[in-house]
Amino acid sequence: MKLMKPSVALMAVLTAVLIVCSLVMGVNHEFKYYENPAFLLLVAVFTAVQILCIIKYKPQWKKIGFYICHIGLVVLIIGSFVSFFTVREVNFNIPIDARAAYSVVQKEDGSEVDFGFNISILDFQVEQYDPDYRLYQPDPSAPDGYSVLKETVILNRKGFYDLGNGRGTVAKEELMDQTGFLDSYETPDGLLLEKLPPADRQYEAHMRILDGDQYEVLLRVNEPCIYRGWKFYLMDYDHDGGSYVSLYVKNDPGNLPMRIGIWMLILGTAIMCFKVFDRKGDATDGVH
Amino acid sequence: MEFIELLALILCLTAVTCYLAAGALLLRKKTKPAAMLAAIGWLANLGIFIKNWYINGYPPFASMYQVLSDLSLVFLVIYLLIAVFEKDQRWVAPYFCFGSAIPLIGTLFMDKEMRWALVPALRSGWFVPHVFSYMLSYALAAVAFILTVAYLVNQNHPVRMKKAIYTIHRLSFPFMTIGLLFGALWADQVWGNYWQWDIKEIWSLVTGMLYLCYFHALRSSKLQKYAFVFSILGFAALIVTFLCVNLLPKIPGSLHTYA
């Protein structure tokens, strides 16, 4: 059975579907084509073709990259299907209050997710960068008497805000009082600096797990917590009042096969493309 | 203009001029002056990289300006590796020089954002490997595209050109794959899912699949002559992924707004 031409055709069709559907989704955000049965069927057919490719060719050691790559792709796709049909997940806001314990969370569609144990958020800290400022100059024609002179004045590594164009600098300490950075500051020359919202450097929360025994874990961005198959991700927080954090929690049986498939794809592709075991190449090595 | 902006402009213009001149001299087989100019251009380019790192306090792989500046830097490094491991492809040096200049020319028209705060999601060990893999792949893909265009315009030495185009694509693709999949592993760590169906992710996948079509078409006797079409479409998709997606109105809602 010749598989190369149908493989290319199938990949081209999949690519075209991705392009068209992504453009449609750009206009209609509710259009989740990747959950559509037709799309899932297309991916299933693609997977079947991969399996046929794997069993079609006689095993050879020098083609090990090919096998790792294609088997990895099949494992990855199967893992994603397992994930699609069996994952339990929820996004929710949880108060920063040790007394507020959650074991069952209701989703937007009314269904419930039961962790099987209680969690509560004990505390939350956010670390922010030193703020930037916007520079204004007096302007009688402007509605509030000032017009923008420089959009962003940043703190340099020497600890000074450089106003630019020979206007001098303002030391970081001049823009601070006991409570922190000042919202606005007037320079001796009559220019006005207004504080811009500072960007977050990092934020973290301590979470308590009550499951017979009590455990305390630290949640940070890029550092999820895993407990009894449940993964807890710190996604966001209340930027206005600091009263809650936003968590994303999931239990996903498909996660491990997907991870294995990903690493197999990386390894297989590298072996094939860098010709680790097949230095001589083949007849189609760019010359045709 | 502030001193640091003036310094960035001088370094950029120096690097661009040297890269282009080196490429032109290499086409005229004037190897030694070309090598010297390429080295000067690369050092000026390195100066931009160091300046960006110093100002920001972390490896400058975050904003578009930083990435384009770094992208120019990798072309000649990749060429040196090719010259060592693929000796019969050394003649592609001029195309790497021209390729080096293009991203830097792009930075001349950009907002430099001299300091760019690293948001919490980017504070990860995956950050540099993910971006760096993509930069290597994009640099190689760009050179392969330049060679493809040169081959289509002037079909001298077709066997040599086709072999070089294939070799460079073959080197680009694993870095593209690694970049995509490292991104997936990172996404699982920060957002809890390997794939978000984000527009940047989708176009990265589209780019990879078009190059996959190129490689597979080469292995079909009936599709071989159309393989170059897939490689050109792949590069077009790469440009969309790298640049155009950032211009789309939907991008503010994308998870990749910082890229």
Side-chain angles (χ1 to χ4, degrees):
Chain A
M1 180 197 301
K2 291 185 180 176
L3 285 171
M4 202 53 71
K5 214 167 149 193
S7 296
V8 174
L10 192 53
M11 280 192 287
V13 166
L14 251 176
T15 306
V17 166
L18 285 172
I19 292 172
V20 170
C21 289
S22 71
L23 293 173
V24 172
M25 203 167 86
V27 175
N28 175 10
H29 304 334
E30 302 302 317
F31 178 54
K32 293 185 181 175
Y33 61 95
Y34 43 87
E35 294 176 357
N36 188 289
F39 182 80
L40 295 176
L41 181 62
L42 186 61
V43 174
V45 170
F46 178 71
T47 310
V49 170
Q50 301 307 303
I51 295 171
L52 284 173
C53 288
I54 293 165
I55 61 180
K56 169 186 158 82
Y57 296 105
K58 192 177 163 186
Q60 298 175 54
W61 262 116
K62 67 176 185 176
K63 297 294 182 193
I64 190 166
F66 166 85
Y67 287 105
I68 294 174
C69 198
H70 287 74
I71 293 171
L73 185 57
V74 171
V75 170
L76 169 62
I77 294 175
I78 290 175
S80 66
F81 272 101
V82 169
S83 179
F84 181 75
F85 289 107
T86 66
V87 70
R88 288 179 291 161
E89 58 183 355
V90 64
N91 277 297
F92 68 108
N93 295 334
I94 179 170
I96 303 167
D97 182 350
R99 297 163 299 178
Y102 289 71
S103 66
V104 179
V105 178
Q106 191 170 53
K107 296 168 66 168
E108 280 181 7
D109 60 6
S111 62
E112 289 181 343
V113 173
D114 184 356
F115 304 141
F117 49 86
N118 279 315
I119 61 165
S120 53
I121 298 297
L122 303 177
D123 59 49
F124 173 76
Q125 288 96 32
V126 59
E127 188 189 342
Q128 293 178 323
Y129 290 101
D130 291 333
D132 297 335
Y133 279 80
R134 183 166 288 145
L135 185 64
Y136 294 86
Q137 63 181 351
D139 183 355
S141 64
D144 55 0
Y146 284 93
S147 58
V148 176
L149 190 57
K150 190 172 181 189
E151 282 292 335
T152 314
V153 178
I154 63 173
L155 184 68
N156 64 25
R157 290 173 70 100
K158 294 178 183 171
F160 289 88
Y161 284 88
D162 190 344
L163 305 184
N165 283 358
R167 289 184 281 259
T169 59
V170 177
K172 176 180 167 181
E173 290 72 28
E174 291 181 64
L175 291 169
M176 297 184 76
D177 63 11
Q178 304 95 298
T179 60
F181 281 90
L182 300 171
D183 290 335
S184 61
Y185 173 84
E186 190 169 342
T187 71
D189 298 330
L191 301 176
L192 182 68
L193 283 165
E194 283 224 333
K195 190 175 79 172
L196 296 171
D200 292 340
R201 184 193 296 268
Q202 182 59 282
Y203 45 88
E204 61 186 38
H206 281 95
M207 184 175 77
R208 181 172 60 205
I209 298 171
L210 196 55
D211 184 20
D213 290 327
Q214 197 170 283
Y215 310 94
E216 201 172 297
V217 295
L218 179 66
L219 286 177
R220 293 176 115 194
V221 181
N222 276 303
E223 294 179 36
C225 154
I226 306 173
Y227 183 76
R228 282 180 56 187
W230 290 93
K231 271 187 170 175
F232 295 84
Y233 295 83
L234 181 60
M235 301 298 280
D236 206 348
Y237 65 95
D238 174 17
H239 291 261
D240 292 325
S243 62
Y244 64 84
V245 296
S246 301
L247 298 184
Y248 171 63
V249 188
K250 72 186 290 189
N251 186 309
D252 184 4
N255 188 282
L256 180 60
M258 289 176 74
R259 184 171 288 266
I260 293 170
I262 285 171
W263 281 108
M264 288 179 73
L265 262 175
I266 290 171
L267 181 64
T269 305
I271 291 173
M272 283 181 74
C273 291
F274 296 135
K275 294 192 166 188
V276 175
F277 297 113
D278 185 17
R279 290 302 302 172
K280 287 184 182 174
D282 56 33
T284 59
D285 199 9
V287 181
H288 49 84
Chain B
M1 184 181 280
E2 298 184 28
F3 170 72
I4 201 74
E5 290 173 4
L6 183 62
L7 176 65
L9 179 63
I10 291 171
L11 288 173
C12 183
L13 289 173
T14 303
V16 167
T17 307
C18 288
Y19 284 147
L20 292 175
L25 284 171
L26 281 167
L27 285 175
R28 293 172 190 271
K29 315 280 186 214
K30 296 190 190 307
T31 313
K32 278 189 183 159
M36 206 172 330
L37 279 173
I40 294 170
W42 193 84
L43 287 172
N45 201 164
L46 183 66
I48 298 173
F49 178 80
I50 294 170
K51 180 265 302 174
N52 287 339
W53 193 327
Y54 174 74
I55 287 172
N56 289 282
Y58 57 79
F61 290 97
S63 72
M64 183 59 72
Y65 165 68
Q66 293 169 8
V67 169
L68 280 177
S69 306
D70 303 342
L71 186 58
S72 284
L73 206 55
V74 302
F75 279 84
L76 291 186
V77 174
I78 295 170
Y79 172 72
L80 289 175
L81 291 170
I82 287 176
V84 169
F85 292 105
E86 303 276 351
K87 292 185 173 59
D88 55 343
Q89 306 300 339
R90 286 179 178 177
W91 63 271
V92 297
Y95 300 96
F96 275 85
C97 290
F98 295 136
S100 302
I102 295 170
L104 275 181
I105 291 172
T107 66
L108 290 170
F109 304 100
M110 292 180 69
D111 181 9
K112 302 293 183 289
E113 307 161 40
M114 284 298 170
R115 199 202 69 185
W116 203 83
L118 206 60
V119 298
L122 293 182
R123 294 186 161 274
S124 168
W126 290 111
F127 175 39
V128 171
H130 168 64
V131 177
F132 191 64
S133 299
Y134 262 122
M135 279 173 18
L136 291 176
S137 78
Y138 284 3
L140 285 161
V143 173
F145 177 73
I146 295 170
L147 279 168
T148 303
V149 170
Y151 165 69
L152 291 173
V153 167
N154 178 4
Q155 301 214 356
N156 286 341
H157 309 291
V159 171
R160 184 175 83 157
M161 287 291 259
K162 285 179 186 176
K163 192 169 168 62
I165 291 168
Y166 171 76
T167 301
I168 294 172
H169 274 132
R170 182 171 55 74
L171 295 173
S172 164
F173 187 72
F175 289 114
M176 196 177 290
T177 304
I178 288 169
L180 181 73
L181 296 176
F182 275 10
L185 291 167
W186 185 10
D188 181 59
Q189 184 184 52
V190 64
W191 297 317
N193 286 295
Y194 292 109
W195 197 257
Q196 335 295 322
W197 298 100
D198 181 74
I199 189 132
K200 192 103 175 175
E201 292 172 347
I202 294 168
W203 276 93
S204 301
L205 181 61
V206 164
T207 304
M209 291 198 68
L210 285 166
Y211 280 115
L212 268 178
C213 289
Y214 162 76
F215 287 114
H216 287 77
L218 281 176
R219 281 163 164 72
S220 163
S221 52
K222 289 186 179 158
L223 295 178
Q224 273 180 5
K225 55 181 178 290
Y226 303 114
F228 80 94
V229 174
F230 286 116
S231 75
I232 290 173
L233 288 174
F235 189 74
L238 186 155
I239 295 297
V240 171
T241 308
F242 188 39
L243 298 173
C244 301
V245 158
N246 292 17
L247 303 174
L248 291 175
K250 194 179 183 299
I251 198 70
S254 165
L255 295 164
H256 286 84
T257 45
Y258 37 78

